[in-house]
Amino acid sequence: MTDCRIRKLVIVGGGTAGWMAAASFAHYFSQNDVEITVVDSSQIGTVGVGEATVPAIRDFFRSLGLDEFEVMRATQGTCKLGIEFRDWSRKGESFFHPFGVFGTPARDVAFHHFWLKLRQFGDPTPFSAYSLAVALCEQGRFTRPHPAPSSGLSVFDWAVHFDAGLFAQLLRGYALKRRVKHVDARIVDVNLRADDGFIESLTLDGGARIEGELFIDCSGFRGVLIEGALQTGYEDWTRWLPCDRAVAMPCRAAGSFTPYTRATALEAGWQWRIPLQHRIGNGYVYCSQFIGDDEAAAALAANLEGAQLGDPNFLRFTTGHRRKFWNRNCVALGLAGGFLEPLESTSIQLIETGIEKLRRLFPDKTFDPALAEEFNRSSQLEYERLRDFLVFHYKATSRDDSPLWRECRAMSVPDTLDYKMKLFRSRGFLVRYEWETFYDPSWLALYTGFGFLPEHYDPLADYFPMSELHEQLARMRGNISSIVQQTPTHAEFIARHCATAEGHAARWGANAA
Ligand SMILES: Cc1cc2nc3c(=O)[nH]c(=O)nc-3n(C[C@H](O)[C@H](O)[C@H](O)COP(=O)(O)OP(=O)(O)OC[C@H]3O[C@@H](n4cnc5c(N)ncnc54)[C@H](O)[C@@H]3O)c2cc1C
């Protein structure tokens, strides 16, 4: 029998995507004779952003056998319970998208119907009052959730903020220790097999060739293999997500040490604030139709809480994805596969699920087309679900103070989102499709945060007496407030578990105790 196993895996790119893929496959194939080579160019560099994550990142750490505090110490990491959205619905208003649930359901009736019912009868308590994660965010506190479902601390999850450069460095060290080869060179040519157009080898700037059987394209927006060589094509979603540029500008640690990311809507886009131990990551994601690069950089600089660190990093992008993520013997991960703006910090998660899918559909040298087909089908659905989630942020705004927001309010949305919005509007019904990244609580956070409320609640909620509902909901709020009071601040938690000397010096002064 012929041995059809893949023996040569070539990863192009040494950014977050490249080193995540290298670390993951090096770990997986640690007992096997599979040669993994990472080719990147220090002259080209990486995108240098991507510092907020979603909770799945902790599964990734675990899958490599890395302790989460070890990662946080190595990357100046902090804790993230969700995102605060400021000025999105209206200027001066804010809400949280927490990683956690709201309230408790009863007899198969989702909690938000009880809240809606009380609201209709005049109870002004906001929906967010039933989220422990939101209460922790508001108070700047943090603790880890408890795994036992019966615990009051089981109702939320958490992610991390980290320094993207340090994270890639950590993974690089991990991969190199596991026999991954690293070549620092620029790829100048991609050589295709004459008969079927599969990638055979890469030519480097010194003339050397690297041969491979399976190629993972992590070359960033360039898509050196998937687009440059294979001309796969790109599905452009700018009509729904109009921001196409960003400027990143880190600053010295200052202001509150929040256990969450902040996204503040501005005139022509929005600004991110990501608190790390040693600095704050800031950026303005904007629509070039409505603001110039210099003006955007100036607007961001004016909002910084601490002294600017380094030069502004300007980035251009087109929201969307490759028509195929897997084409012939090439699989694109990270920015080479597609890009959805960073409003919900989902790009690294897409790299993670891409790696996971590739492992589950791992081919042999015959490259059964059915595997690529399934990879492409599921990846496309995953992107579309996330697209809809992001589009809702723009569509649901009540702002009309600038052309961007007026245009967004008026735009028509994808059918899949339209259907979701209709069902929620009519009866608070939450539609869930295959390959969603964000589940019901996340959609509820957005719907209620934007004041997009149903006309009716579930009639089954009427089978619960009002007095009982008042009592239950008051008890839920009481439980949340007693847990919050016993929880350490985010700064105390970091100091106890994963503080770095540099972070301590930057935030509290080199001479602080
Ligand atoms: C403005 C912005 C904000 C973001 N914020 C977040 C966030 O908060 N959370 C999140 O999850 N994601 C975020 N992302 C996405 C995140 O930054 C990326 O998903 C992540 O960094 C992965 O990038 P990458 O490795 O695909 O590409 P890159 O970092 O661009 O790496 C590309 C690599 O390819 C190599 N390369 C390219 N061409 C060649 C060549 N010809 N020869 C050899 N090597 C080559 C380069 O040297 C480099 O090593 C953000 C992205 C942007 C643009």
Side-chain angles (χ1 to χ4, degrees):
M1 212 171 81
T2 1
D3 181 1
C4 283
R5 284 176 292 177
I6 299 274
R7 297 289 191 180
K8 282 188 177 181
L9 181 56
V10 177
I11 298 169
V12 172
T16 307
W19 287 116
M20 280 177 77
S24 197
F25 283 106
H27 178 73
Y28 188 79
F29 288 123
S30 59
Q31 310 295 319
N32 307 105
D33 180 21
V34 176
E35 186 184 293
I36 303 175
T37 308
V38 172
V39 188
D40 76 339
S41 164
S42 47
Q43 281 167 20
I44 294 174
T46 64
V47 74
V49 284
E51 313 208 303
T53 64
V54 295
I57 191 71
R58 292 176 30 252
D59 296 333
F60 182 75
F61 303 158
R62 252 192 310 274
S63 73
L64 298 182
L66 294 173
D67 171 69
E68 53 207 18
F69 292 144
E70 180 190 338
V71 177
M72 290 170 79
R73 263 190 299 273
T75 59
Q76 300 288 345
T78 62
C79 309
K80 174 177 173 185
L81 287 163
I83 304 175
E84 181 192 16
F85 288 92
R86 277 195 180 173
D87 299 339
W88 278 83
S89 175
R90 289 187 177 79
K91 269 190 175 176
E93 286 185 9
S94 77
F95 68 90
F96 282 92
H97 166 202
F99 301 133
V101 301
F102 295 84
T104 336
R107 289 190 358 232
D108 283 341
V109 179
F111 170 76
H112 64 282
H113 295 291
F114 301 126
W115 174 77
L116 284 166
K117 176 173 172 170
L118 292 197
R119 193 173 181 277
Q120 273 190 17
F121 285 92
D123 183 342
T125 313
F127 190 62
S128 57
Y130 299 96
S131 161
L132 174 56
V134 170
L136 292 171
C137 288
E138 285 170 345
Q139 300 281 322
R141 292 172 186 268
F142 184 81
T143 189
R144 282 187 294 177
H146 196 284
S150 57
S151 162
L153 282 175
S154 67
V155 293
F156 67 96
D157 206 344
W158 65 292
V160 300
H161 304 117
F162 53 44
D163 179 318
L166 295 176
F167 183 56
Q169 213 170 299
L170 175 77
L171 296 179
R172 181 177 184 272
Y174 179 101
L176 296 182
K177 259 193 224 150
R178 286 161 181 78
R179 296 182 295 120
V180 169
K181 287 191 193 161
H182 177 219
V183 179
D184 183 350
R186 192 188 180 98
I187 294 159
V188 291
D189 218 345
V190 179
N191 311 299
L192 306 182
R193 284 199 311 234
D195 51 343
D196 56 9
F198 275 48
I199 300 173
E200 193 170 55
S201 65
L202 311 173
T203 306
L204 308 181
D205 48 6
R209 274 186 176 226
I210 296 202
E211 291 185 351
E213 290 155 358
L214 173 63
F215 290 82
I216 305 186
D217 188 350
C218 299
S219 64
F221 290 129
R222 287 174 183 81
V224 174
L225 311 188
I226 195 83
E227 198 60 55
L230 299 179
Q231 301 184 351
T232 303
Y234 197 79
E235 187 67 41
D236 182 340
W237 283 339
T238 312
R239 64 190 177 285
W240 289 307
L241 293 166
C243 290
D244 56 355
R245 296 207 185 165
V247 52
M249 202 182 278
C251 73
R252 281 193 198 288
S256 41
F257 191 44
T258 56
Y260 55 85
T261 309
R262 179 176 296 143
T264 307
L266 301 179
E267 210 177 285
W270 61 277
Q271 176 182 341
W272 79 74
R273 176 189 187 272
I274 300 176
L276 303 181
Q277 291 192 42
H278 64 321
R279 63 167 167 80
I280 301 177
N282 309 284
Y284 186 176
V285 176
Y286 54 96
C287 178
S288 60
Q289 196 189 332
F290 300 119
I291 194 170
D293 293 345
D294 293 344
E295 212 186 324
L300 179 60
N303 289 342
L304 298 186
E305 289 163 86
Q308 184 181 328
L309 297 169
D311 294 330
N313 177 12
F314 289 95
L315 301 140
R316 292 176 176 212
F317 53 83
T318 306
T319 293
H321 64 88
R322 300 279 169 224
R323 296 236 158 83
K324 289 178 184 172
F325 298 83
W326 180 336
N327 189 357
R328 300 188 178 97
N329 58 340
C330 172
V331 177
L333 294 177
L335 302 173
F339 183 60
L340 292 168
E341 61 152 279
L343 188 52
E344 289 282 352
S345 329
T346 44
S347 289
I348 295 173
Q349 139 99 4
L350 285 167
I351 299 170
E352 199 179 330
T353 52
I355 293 170
E356 179 63 29
K357 275 185 265 193
L358 178 56
R359 206 165 37 219
R360 286 196 288 123
L361 295 165
F362 204 78
D364 62 19
K365 283 191 230 169
T366 62
F367 283 93
D368 181 346
L371 302 174
E373 213 172 285
E374 173 55 16
F375 188 95
N376 291 329
R377 184 194 75 87
S378 53
S379 302
Q380 181 167 335
L381 287 178
E382 197 178 6
Y383 264 73
E384 286 175 1
R385 305 305 178 231
L386 280 174
R387 173 203 64 196
D388 288 359
F389 193 64
L390 296 179
V391 170
F392 183 79
H393 295 68
Y394 287 91
K395 175 68 184 172
T397 186
S398 299
R399 285 183 64 154
D400 61 0
D401 54 295
S402 71
L404 170 74
W405 298 111
R406 283 194 290 275
E407 229 171 67
C408 289
R409 285 176 61 165
M411 75 178 158
S412 57
V413 299
D415 291 347
T416 39
L417 175 58
D418 190 49
Y419 185 68
K420 266 193 176 185
M421 289 170 66
K422 265 194 201 129
L423 270 141
F424 188 75
R425 190 60 125 183
S426 89
R427 230 286 302 277
F429 187 83
L430 292 153
V431 174
R432 191 191 294 180
Y433 300 119
E434 191 192 1
W435 282 101
E436 298 268 14
T437 296
F438 291 111
Y439 295 138
D440 296 357
S442 296
W443 281 94
L444 283 168
L446 287 202
Y447 287 143
T448 56
F450 277 100
F452 183 84
L453 297 180
E455 280 147 25
H456 309 283
Y457 54 83
D458 184 340
L460 290 179
D462 282 333
Y463 292 89
F464 295 76
M466 282 296 269
S467 57
E468 193 184 303
L469 288 183
H470 276 298
E471 201 181 298
Q472 290 291 348
L473 270 66
R475 189 173 308 141
M476 287 177 204
R477 295 196 302 270
N479 287 344
I480 287 175
S481 102
S482 72
I483 292 175
V484 171
Q485 278 160 28
Q486 296 161 38
T487 304
T489 64
H490 183 214
E492 286 164 348
F493 184 90
I494 294 286
R496 197 172 304 160
H497 297 285
C498 52
T500 63
E502 195 188 344
H504 192 267
R507 203 163 274 282
W508 290 286
N511 300 321

